[in-house]
Amino acid sequence: MNLSEEASLPKIEQLNPAVHVDTGMRRLGIPQYEMDRMLDLVERSKPSLLMSHLAKADEPQSTDNVTQLERFNSIRNQLGDACPSSSLANTAGILLGPPFHFELVRPGIGLYGGSPDPNDPKGFKPVVTWQAQVMELQDVAMGESVGYGGAFLAPRALKLATIGIGYADGYHRVLGGQGELAIDGQICPIVGRVSMDLVTLDVSAISTIKKGTWVEVMGPIISIDTVAVKANTIGYELLTRLGPRMERVVV
């Protein structure tokens, strides 16, 4: 329930709604200027949860986190015995410590092994592994160009592998020439641009590679956060952009 008027919906109390209050995110939630009506709203709607969302939880030194916590606690104190279970912390909020936890936490990216700070893994372990296969192998001579626009020129004779993954699958185009994939635990650089359906790797150091070999795009060797930093984004975006044509296997 994000709006105070929703408390007047027919039989709202039978839905056991979650009441979302805005303590500083200014995105969704009942605004601060309506807080004096909170007790009435709660008594009418009989919510099962009081919740809010932290705007800067991934910046642990920000005083805004403490400000939002104080506002949230003020609302809880105002409700007294009528206050339902409470929730404030997402993954980054959990890392801020027990005062932010209340009865329920809402881990998101952490469930997938991603850190709220892509530059600091914070002990998270990979859960998602993204793989693709080698489609073709070829040798190129020194000075030969690779891919669209001839963006890469071989500095020496190289063995290249074409991998069946591209930006249509959610692999960011910006990773051309700077991304890395892993084969048998060895990291291999992308050469040339990322195409719609394909990327090309320098696999000169791998003697056992063959057509059909599985390649790690993201996983234990190439972490979500490693890819996110190279793509100048965050792990959340990488995971939500994974394309529908990839087979999902739950283990």
Side-chain angles (χ1 to χ4, degrees):
M1 192 168 72
N2 291 300
L3 302 171
S4 59
E5 51 263 37
E6 291 175 342
S8 300
L9 292 173
K11 300 182 179 179
I12 185 68
E13 72 281 356
Q14 296 180 18
L15 300 178
N16 300 120
V19 174
H20 188 180
V21 294
D22 181 10
T23 56
M25 186 73 164
R26 297 178 184 87
R27 186 176 63 177
L28 289 174
I30 298 171
Q32 288 290 302
Y33 59 78
E34 292 191 2
M35 287 303 107
D36 58 342
R37 300 177 55 199
M38 277 302 299
L39 182 58
D40 177 59
L41 293 175
V42 167
E43 289 179 341
R44 279 191 288 154
S45 60
K46 301 293 190 295
S48 59
L49 184 70
L50 177 73
M51 64 174 288
S52 191
H53 199 67
L54 295 166
K56 296 184 180 179
D58 57 348
E59 301 176 27
Q61 304 306 318
S62 174
T63 58
D64 288 353
N65 294 314
V66 176
T67 298
Q68 284 194 254
L69 177 63
E70 291 173 346
R71 289 172 179 168
F72 193 62
N73 275 324
S74 176
I75 296 166
R76 296 177 75 249
N77 292 335
Q78 178 184 339
L79 295 177
D81 292 340
C83 184
S85 296
S86 302
S87 177
L88 180 62
N90 56 3
T91 297
I94 294 170
L95 297 176
L96 294 177
F100 291 83
H101 294 175
F102 299 99
E103 290 85 5
L104 178 72
V105 294
R106 309 189 305 273
I109 191 67
L111 295 177
Y112 297 90
S115 171
D117 180 356
N119 293 295
D120 182 358
K122 298 185 184 298
F124 286 95
K125 297 181 180 180
V127 174
V128 175
T129 297
W130 181 5
Q131 295 179 315
Q133 286 182 289
V134 174
M135 299 183 67
E136 186 174 318
L137 294 166
Q138 60 177 294
D139 296 315
V140 299
M142 182 177 67
E144 290 188 322
S145 63
V146 178
Y148 282 119
F152 176 81
L153 294 177
R156 60 187 180 281
L158 299 174
K159 179 192 292 184
L160 302 182
T162 302
I163 314 301
I165 199 81
Y167 58 76
D169 301 296
Y171 194 75
H172 287 223
R173 189 171 180 270
V174 72
L175 291 166
Q178 61 176 330
E180 298 170 327
L181 308 186
I183 301 174
D184 293 333
Q186 297 187 62
I187 294 176
C188 302
I190 292 175
V191 297
R193 296 178 183 174
V194 173
S195 303
M196 182 183 296
D197 308 301
L198 305 166
V199 298
T200 304
L201 297 182
D202 177 359
V203 295
S204 304
I206 302 178
S207 59
T208 57
I209 191 170
K210 59 184 179 181
K211 185 177 179 179
T213 295
W214 284 98
V215 178
E216 179 185 309
V217 181
M218 192 164 62
I221 306 298
I222 309 293
S223 73
I224 295 173
D225 299 318
T226 297
V227 181
V229 169
K230 287 183 177 294
N232 193 30
T233 185
I234 54 178
Y236 303 77
E237 183 180 9
L238 295 177
L239 291 174
T240 56
R241 289 185 61 177
L242 296 181
R245 64 185 181 180
M246 289 184 293
E247 180 184 3
R248 268 75 167 171
V249 179
V250 180
V251 295

